[in-house]
Amino acid sequence: MQKYSPIGVFDSGYGGLTVLNELKKRLPKYNYIYLGDNARTPYGTRSFDVVYEYTLEAVKKLFDLGCHLVIVACNTASAKALRNIQQLDLPHIDPSKRVLGVIRPSVEKVVEVTKNNRVGVLGTVGTVTSESYLMEFQKINKKRQIKAVQEACPMWVPIVENNEIGTPGANYFVEKNLENLLKKDPDLDTIILGCTHYPFLINQIKEYLPSHINVLPQGSIVAEKLEDYLVRHPEIEIKCSKGKTTNFYTTESVATFEKRAGFFLGKAVNAKHISL
Ligand code: DGL
């Protein structure tokens, strides 16, 4: 029998469920573990060092739970911790293991979709100030002249985490941030939701934007690119156990996680508590 080695999906809270959902739709045969660091969310306003420390702890825990492939399904963590983990930590921990993020695949997709090369990035304060998206666009800029503008939306994660979606207060912040982004470039034709929580606000976001603008949530992008990655890396794919199970872990209250995750996923969820 194949050794249990699920694909680990990590997020600071509930947002990564949007990625997990799409992974399971596109790649249903694998085992998955979802780890939400709900006790320490949000990461978006935390310093580089703290996000790195927390993310490394979570990745190590997922390795301990049997994963050899971990998706850091959090832009803030991908922006602030991924490179260090890949370059400094993984060689010591286990060079055969892999940790992938969400920014690179998202940037690749934006470049495929935009027609006029004018794009917008919505993210947390941490993601936006890290300029990780801008740096990735720069790398691609060698071939394409992408002009990217960004807007930090510090209220959007708390809106989702506190279930305020669709309330007048929440709509006020959605409209305000989108207005700000469009002021920075009224001609952009593609917007990436550079935070895993934002797809929960997609109806409100689309309401405030002209219909010709493409709004790209990340879950389906990450799933598409992971499928491609696994085809290109059969040595990693073969280690991913196939059993169609998903186990959920939270660093906070199990009861709260089960209730909220069940609401977001539209079905009942059983979770376990874990300390990092
Ligand atoms: N899920 C994180 C992201 O994608 C945001 C949530 C947080 O601030 O912790 O950036």
Side-chain angles (χ1 to χ4, degrees):
M1 215 176 77
Q2 191 185 11
K3 192 168 166 257
Y4 174 68
S5 185
I7 297 174
V9 180
F10 164 66
D11 185 57
S12 58
Y14 297 108
L17 294 171
T18 58
V19 175
L20 176 73
N21 231 356
E22 297 298 328
L23 291 175
K24 286 176 63 171
K25 267 195 229 160
R26 190 155 190 136
L27 302 163
K29 66 183 170 190
Y30 299 108
N31 297 113
Y32 293 94
I33 289 186
Y34 185 85
L35 170 52
D37 191 7
N38 302 83
R40 303 189 293 195
T41 197
Y43 281 15
T45 44
R46 294 188 190 276
S47 68
F48 182 97
D49 288 344
V50 169
V51 173
Y52 171 40
E53 180 192 324
Y54 288 0
T55 306
L56 182 59
E57 285 172 359
V59 166
K60 282 182 177 168
K61 187 63 78 173
L62 284 164
F63 287 162
D64 290 346
L65 291 167
C67 303
H68 73 276
L69 172 62
V70 172
I71 312 295
V72 175
C74 174
N75 290 266
T76 311
S78 294
K80 295 192 170 191
L82 187 66
R83 185 185 291 245
N84 272 4
I85 291 175
Q86 287 173 333
Q87 295 180 357
L88 304 179
D89 300 299
L90 220 43
H92 303 292
I93 301 169
D94 184 343
S96 73
K97 294 187 190 285
R98 292 289 177 275
V99 183
L100 306 175
V102 288
I103 294 179
R104 178 74 200 196
S106 302
V107 163
E108 285 171 4
K109 190 67 183 181
V110 169
V111 173
E112 281 166 38
V113 169
T114 178
K115 297 225 164 31
N116 68 0
N117 295 341
R118 309 275 286 268
V119 306
V121 179
L122 297 167
T124 64
V125 173
T127 298
V128 165
T129 53
S130 75
E131 302 199 340
S132 295
Y133 273 90
L134 302 186
M135 287 188 275
E136 286 297 333
F137 281 120
Q138 276 298 326
K139 288 183 199 160
I140 284 178
N141 244 347
K142 286 171 194 147
K143 292 180 218 133
R144 293 270 297 271
Q145 284 303 313
I146 302 290
K147 181 176 171 263
V149 290
Q150 314 189 91
E151 170 74 4
C153 312
M155 293 305 291
W156 291 19
V157 169
I159 286 168
V160 172
E161 292 280 324
N162 294 295
N163 205 13
E164 292 288 328
I165 299 163
T167 61
N171 292 345
Y172 166 81
F173 285 108
V174 172
E175 184 176 13
K176 186 175 144 194
N177 288 123
L178 292 174
E179 256 179 38
N180 289 347
L181 184 72
L182 287 176
K183 267 187 217 152
K184 290 172 190 165
D185 186 355
D187 294 326
L188 51 82
D189 75 350
T190 305
I191 293 177
I192 179 76
L193 302 185
C195 173
T196 50
H197 285 63
Y198 297 176
F200 292 121
L201 295 164
I202 192 134
N203 293 336
Q204 287 74 19
I205 293 169
K206 285 191 170 165
E207 215 171 281
Y208 290 112
L209 287 174
S211 56
H212 71 274
I213 296 181
N214 296 302
V215 182
L216 305 181
Q218 289 180 307
S220 54
I221 300 172
V222 174
E224 179 192 331
K225 301 288 180 184
L226 180 63
E227 185 176 38
D228 178 53
Y229 175 88
L230 292 172
V231 170
R232 288 184 290 108
H233 296 274
E235 76 286 1
I236 303 293
E237 197 283 335
I238 201 148
K239 291 187 201 158
C240 297
S241 58
K242 286 107 190 153
K244 299 185 178 179
T245 61
T246 307
N247 290 310
F248 294 88
Y249 291 88
T250 176
T251 55
E252 243 294 343
S253 145
V254 167
T256 306
F257 183 91
E258 288 179 344
K259 194 163 150 226
R260 300 297 317 283
F263 170 74
F264 287 132
L265 292 173
K267 60 178 172 222
V269 158
N270 288 315
K272 289 189 190 115
H273 183 267
I274 204 158
S275 299
L276 295 181

